[in-house]
Amino acid sequence: MMPTPVILLKEGTDSSQGVPQLISNINACQVIAEAVRTTLGPRGMDKLIVDDRGKATISNDGATILKLLDVVHPAAKTLVDIAKSQDAEVGDGTTSVTLLAAEFMKQIKPFVEEGLHPQVIIRAFRTASQKARHVVNPLYCLPYREQRRLLEKCAATALSSKLIAVQKDFFAKMVVDAVSLLDELLQLKMIGIKKVQGGALEDSCLVAGVAFKKTFSYAGFEMQPKKYESPKIALLNVELELKAEKDNAEVRVNNVEEYQAIVDAEWNILYDKLDKIHKSGAKVVLSKLPIGDVATQYFADRDLFCAGRVPEEDLKRTMMACGGSIQTSVNALTEDVLGHCAMFEEVQVGGERYNFLTGCPKAKTCTIILRGGAEQFMEETERSLHDAIMIVRRAIKNDSVVAGGGAIEMELSKYLRDYSRTIPGKQQLLIGAYAKALEIIPRQLCDNAGFDATNILNKLRAKHAQGGVWYGVDVNNEDIADNFDACVWEPAIVRINALTAASEAACLILSVDETIKNPRSTADAPGGGRGRGRPHQH
């Protein structure tokens, strides 16, 4: 007689476990890798993604693409997460990290199918990942004395796979200049990037100070001077306009004089504020809150410049650059809370007008003004510059670099393959599989450039076996080259981080052997506007 099956879970719960479940997760990760595979390297293609609102994004950045792909598969989401973490931590190498994780899983799929326990595989991967990290450390090249050249080369390598690769030297220089202007903390927020449509890419410029778009202005604004030399700057968080009475405010007056007194009091409060600002000696008044028409006219009559509704981040950057502090009242506008700069001017950039504050004494901030044609193109340029800025920040903090273009991966692959032959047991095969998986980076670089990948990888293996540590793919000449001499450099931390994250993700997915999906998560999907009732059966 058959025993009665025990039903633990709610009806309709989808539960899958065991080896088929693991294989299904590995396959899902392969699909994610397929999505970004062709974007790797200088000859990588771009993806055009249209979201549910119809907004089109053209991107080459692995993390951006994966963020925009609305991935629902629980295991595949892990790959999206590691791409995001790589983007946040290092800025570049997001496609590499996704490819590596997927390739690790592809290489061990046969072992899983043959029934090898996942924990054995995980242990081997942990060992391999640790060994690889130890090898990258002594492989570090010595820090260059000319740090500037090192940083420019790292930025150029990061930009070479982007849309703006043609102007990579121009932008690499600009990015290094921008990061050099920051203080020791190297805060990303202190580099403002403003996009102005029109003009050519080469018209982009770096402002060693603050630039922000002209704010909304009232009548009287055009009468204000637009250029000052060494002005004092008042930074306010104060509203300088007459407020309409609240709807429910009630003031009882018996005669016209009393009413007039109330109106006058309001005006006097405003004029009192304006007078204090004028007497403080400030020539440029910037406020986060609106500055009304009365105030604008008042300042124009006294040759002051004012801008209201300045975005908060721009105001903070102005404070960092020009000194002073943001005031919430006008009663204490002393010398020490006012900022200073060498030149303030309003300049026409393309179709927009921008306020420039340059020659700032405490300039620990800067602004990059990007020019270009299509909006999507400028957004992609901004993302590319973000990656390059992150790379330069990393390179300043860890001034050790390795050669890119698949060179470091081939060297690690060679080392791990040799190491695997020294250990007995299953670990030998698994570490060998890890070593083979590392070759995906040079292989994909060849595929994306349209080269014969097998031929070039054979050449690379031979070269690394003879001790050519820095040999990688030469995308320009369809051959192999010493990428260290060719100045294809990346901060070592990018590679270490990518290896660690990819190994962790592979181990994480391998350690899952059962997925239980609650039926409610599918029944309550958005789009069924039927309340708690069942959807109509059509």
Side-chain angles (χ1 to χ4, degrees), residues 48-51 53-58 68 375-376 379 383:
L48 171 60
I49 299 157
V50 184
D51 65 8
R53 295 198 191 95
K55 184 178 185 293
T57 308
I58 297 175
L68 293 169
E375 194 180 333
Q376 286 99 330
E379 281 176 4
R383 279 191 289 272

Side-chain angles (χ1 to χ4, degrees), residues 281-302:
K283 281 288 182 198
V284 177
V285 182
L286 304 176
S287 176
K288 188 178 141 194
L289 297 173
I291 293 181
D293 45 0
V294 179
T296 307
Q297 189 63 55
Y298 181 94
F299 288 138
D301 295 343
R302 286 158 184 73

